[in-house]
Amino acid sequence: MTDIPRKILCIEDDHETAALIAEELVERGFEVSIAPNGQEGFAAILKLYPDLVLCDINMPVMSGFEVLERLSALSPHFESIPFVFLTALSDRNNELKGRKLGADDYVTKPIDFDLLNEIIAARLRRIARSEVWAQHANLNDREVETLTWSARGKTSNEIADILGLSKRTVDFHIESAVRKLGVATRIEAAVKAASGRLIKP
């Protein structure tokens, strides 16, 4: 863990459960924010950009599944944030649905806080490794610039117009960044560069 507390967003409609989760995690050194339903939770993710999200599934206004679906639609901007479902729905079909939507883990209630702490720590360690790997890529300024615009959804032609370059030059720099980051596509490169804080999508 770093000296700066990691930010965890807990999306949970049951007040007592949310308070208990927050109390436990604060005692373990995390900074915790709480959202009482999926809609407010989704807005909080966009505003706070937390290090990890804990989310209930059955909630009013917007379910946990809907939160993750909407978050996935914003890929790659929020793809590096670990998303963990906390739920009383222990049946296999719900777990499979959660994982198919892209959830990193699925923890059933009543919550084993020692287990939850290990899951959180493992997910954050993975982010830390990704940050280190990305920073070792040594992207040059033009690679960072073109990859940043790519992460914002711009095509090579649009980036070329923005930067006053040819499309071929833009493609060259993006492909170079892809190679240096050790991934297969520009989307994967953007995600890895963003998680390593090399770019700000």
Side-chain angles (χ1 to χ4, degrees):
M1 302 299 292
T2 63
D3 294 331
I4 301 172
R6 291 287 197 168
K7 295 182 294 183
I8 295 179
L9 174 65
C10 177
I11 308 174
E12 169 63 65
D13 65 317
D14 183 88
H15 177 73
E16 289 186 8
T17 301
L20 177 61
I21 292 170
E23 182 182 349
E24 284 281 343
L25 294 181
V26 167
E27 285 182 3
R28 295 169 191 260
F30 297 105
E31 179 184 320
V32 182
S33 300
I34 297 173
N37 60 58
Q39 188 174 55
E40 291 189 34
F42 181 73
I45 293 170
L46 303 186
K47 180 180 179 182
L48 300 174
Y49 205 96
D51 293 298
L52 183 139
V53 175
L54 300 174
C55 187
D56 192 12
I57 292 178
N58 278 346
M59 293 182 290
V61 187
M62 186 189 296
S63 73
F65 288 147
E66 290 172 314
V67 172
L68 185 52
E69 284 175 334
R70 290 187 64 179
L71 199 61
S72 298
L74 298 176
S75 175
H77 306 302
F78 296 90
E79 200 167 301
S80 62
I81 301 176
F83 196 100
V84 178
F85 278 126
L86 295 177
T87 179
L89 301 175
S90 58
D91 64 282
R92 187 168 178 269
N93 287 339
N94 276 299
E95 180 171 356
L96 287 174
K97 181 176 180 179
R99 293 190 184 281
K100 283 179 181 177
L101 287 172
D104 294 280
D105 272 297
Y106 191 100
V107 178
T108 55
K109 300 173 182 176
I111 298 166
D112 179 333
F113 283 102
D114 288 334
L115 176 61
L116 179 61
N117 186 64
E118 289 305 312
I119 287 171
I120 291 172
R123 292 297 167 187
L124 295 179
R125 279 196 300 271
R126 185 169 296 179
I127 291 175
R129 285 200 303 271
S130 180
E131 290 175 0
V132 170
W133 292 335
Q135 287 161 8
H136 285 168
N138 293 321
L139 301 186
N140 64 39
D141 290 344
R142 192 60 93 183
E143 289 161 353
V144 169
E145 198 172 24
T146 53
L147 199 56
T148 297
W149 284 110
S150 178
R152 292 172 182 168
K154 300 296 183 183
T155 66
S156 291
N157 282 325
E158 289 170 329
I159 298 169
D161 288 339
I162 292 167
L163 299 179
L165 303 171
S166 69
K167 177 182 178 295
R168 178 180 294 180
T169 300
V170 169
D171 287 337
F172 170 81
H173 288 301
I174 291 177
E175 287 165 11
S176 177
V178 168
R179 283 196 306 275
K180 287 182 179 181
L181 289 164
V183 292
T185 68
R186 62 173 62 192
I187 291 175
E188 291 173 328
V191 170
K192 191 166 185 178
S195 69
R197 293 177 171 80
L198 298 179
I199 65 170
K200 291 183 178 181

